[in-house]
Amino acid sequence: MLFNSPLFLFVFLPCLYLIYRAAPTSWQNRILLVASLFFYSWAEPIFVFWALGSALLDWMLGEVISRSPQPNVRRAALTLGVVANVGLLAYFKYANFFWANFVTVLQRFGLQSSSLLHVALPIAISFIVFEKITYLVDLYRKDGRPADDLLTYLLYVFYFPKLLAGPIIRYRDIDQQLRRRRVTWMDFRDGIIRFLFGLAKKVLLADHIGHFASEVFALPAKQLDMP
C-alpha cells in the first residue's frame, strides 16, 4: 500500500483519521498500532510475525538494560540485541548473495547445488532493525527513558508514516508525543498542506523523472556516454 495509491488516499487514511478522532485519548495509541500492523501486513502478512517477534525480544532486552544495576548484565543484553538485529538484517539481505557465491565455489570442484535460497526481503527491514538498535543503545547509554509499555514500544517501531521510507527516529525524540499529545485544527491544516506538497512532488515530478532515469540506465554500457 503506497502513500500515493488510491487505496491509501481515499480509504485507509480517511477511515483511520475518523476512527482516531472519534476514539477516547486512551485508545488512540492502540488504534494507531492496529492500523500500522494492518498497513505492514497488507503487503507481507507473513513477515509481520518475524517483525513482532524481533520487537518483543528487543523490548524485553530494553527492560533488562534499563532496570538491571549490573553493568555486565546490561552489556550482555545490549550485545545480544545488536547481534540479533544485525544477524536478522544480514540473513534477509545477503543470504542469497553469499549462498550464490558459495555455490560458485562448489561448482569449481565439480559439486552441484541449488543456486538460490529464495530468501525474500521483508519491507522496511532496515528501518525497523536500526531503530530497534538505537533504542537499545540509548538505554544503555542512559540517553533516554524506556517506553512505558510494550504497546508504546511497538507503536514506535511500526508507526506506518515512517515505515516505508524512514526517517530512522530515536525513541527519545518522539517519547513525549507517544505518551501524550494534543492535536489542534491548525496542526491538522499544516499537516495536510505538507502531505499534499510531498504528494505533488512524488506524483508530478519524481515518478515521471524516475521512468526517464530507468530508461537511461537500461541502455547498454557503451551507449552511456557523458551527455
Side-chain angles (χ1 to χ4, degrees):
M1 192 187 308
L2 299 176
F3 294 142
N4 61 331
S5 66
L7 178 63
F8 179 85
L9 293 174
F10 302 116
V11 179
F12 180 84
L13 189 59
C15 289
L16 172 59
Y17 182 76
L18 292 175
I19 296 172
Y20 175 86
R21 295 294 292 185
T25 303
S26 59
W27 278 85
Q28 288 179 342
N29 276 3
R30 293 181 176 89
I31 291 171
L32 288 178
L33 176 58
V34 171
S36 297
L37 292 175
F38 175 81
F39 180 88
Y40 187 89
S41 61
W42 180 264
E44 298 182 2
I46 296 178
F47 287 121
V48 73
F49 295 107
W50 79 258
L52 281 170
S54 174
L56 178 60
L57 172 63
D58 284 324
W59 180 75
M60 292 189 294
L61 292 175
E63 291 294 293
V64 173
I65 293 172
S66 62
R67 297 176 186 274
S68 177
Q70 302 179 27
N72 290 338
V73 173
R74 299 175 70 248
R75 190 179 302 111
L78 174 64
T79 303
L80 176 59
V82 172
V83 170
N85 278 289
V86 173
L88 196 66
L89 182 64
Y91 171 74
F92 280 114
K93 296 199 78 167
Y94 301 110
N96 284 329
F97 170 77
F98 286 118
W99 180 253
N101 282 275
F102 178 68
V103 168
T104 300
V105 174
L106 291 180
Q107 290 174 347
R108 291 181 179 239
F109 291 94
L111 302 175
Q112 297 295 324
S113 181
S114 174
S115 59
L116 286 177
L117 292 177
H118 301 290
V119 176
L121 181 65
I123 61 173
I125 182 173
S126 297
F127 296 114
I128 290 176
V129 162
F130 288 121
E131 281 195 339
K132 295 197 287 97
I133 289 177
T134 63
Y135 177 78
L136 296 177
V137 171
D138 282 347
L139 290 182
Y140 181 78
R141 294 176 175 174
K142 298 182 178 180
D143 197 12
R145 62 188 299 277
D148 289 340
D149 48 44
L150 177 59
L151 184 149
T152 305
Y153 175 73
L154 291 177
L155 179 57
Y156 159 68
V157 173
F158 290 100
Y159 187 46
F160 73 90
K162 64 177 180 58
L163 197 59
L164 295 182
I168 296 174
I169 299 175
R170 299 173 71 176
Y171 179 81
R172 67 175 190 176
D173 293 335
I174 60 172
D175 174 38
Q176 184 67 27
Q177 296 180 56
L178 289 176
R179 287 189 288 124
R180 63 181 69 90
R181 56 190 173 274
R182 179 175 176 271
V183 180
T184 66
W185 284 108
M186 295 292 288
D187 295 328
F188 177 78
R189 182 204 65 181
D190 293 344
I192 288 294
I193 291 174
R194 178 175 294 186
F195 180 84
L196 290 177
F197 269 106
L199 182 64
K201 292 177 181 178
K202 165 68 175 171
V203 175
L204 301 179
L205 297 177
D207 285 351
H208 295 286
I209 296 174
H211 289 309
F212 174 74
S214 298
E215 292 178 2
V216 172
F217 288 126
L219 295 173
K222 294 181 178 180
Q223 297 183 29
L224 290 176
D225 54 13
M226 188 64 183

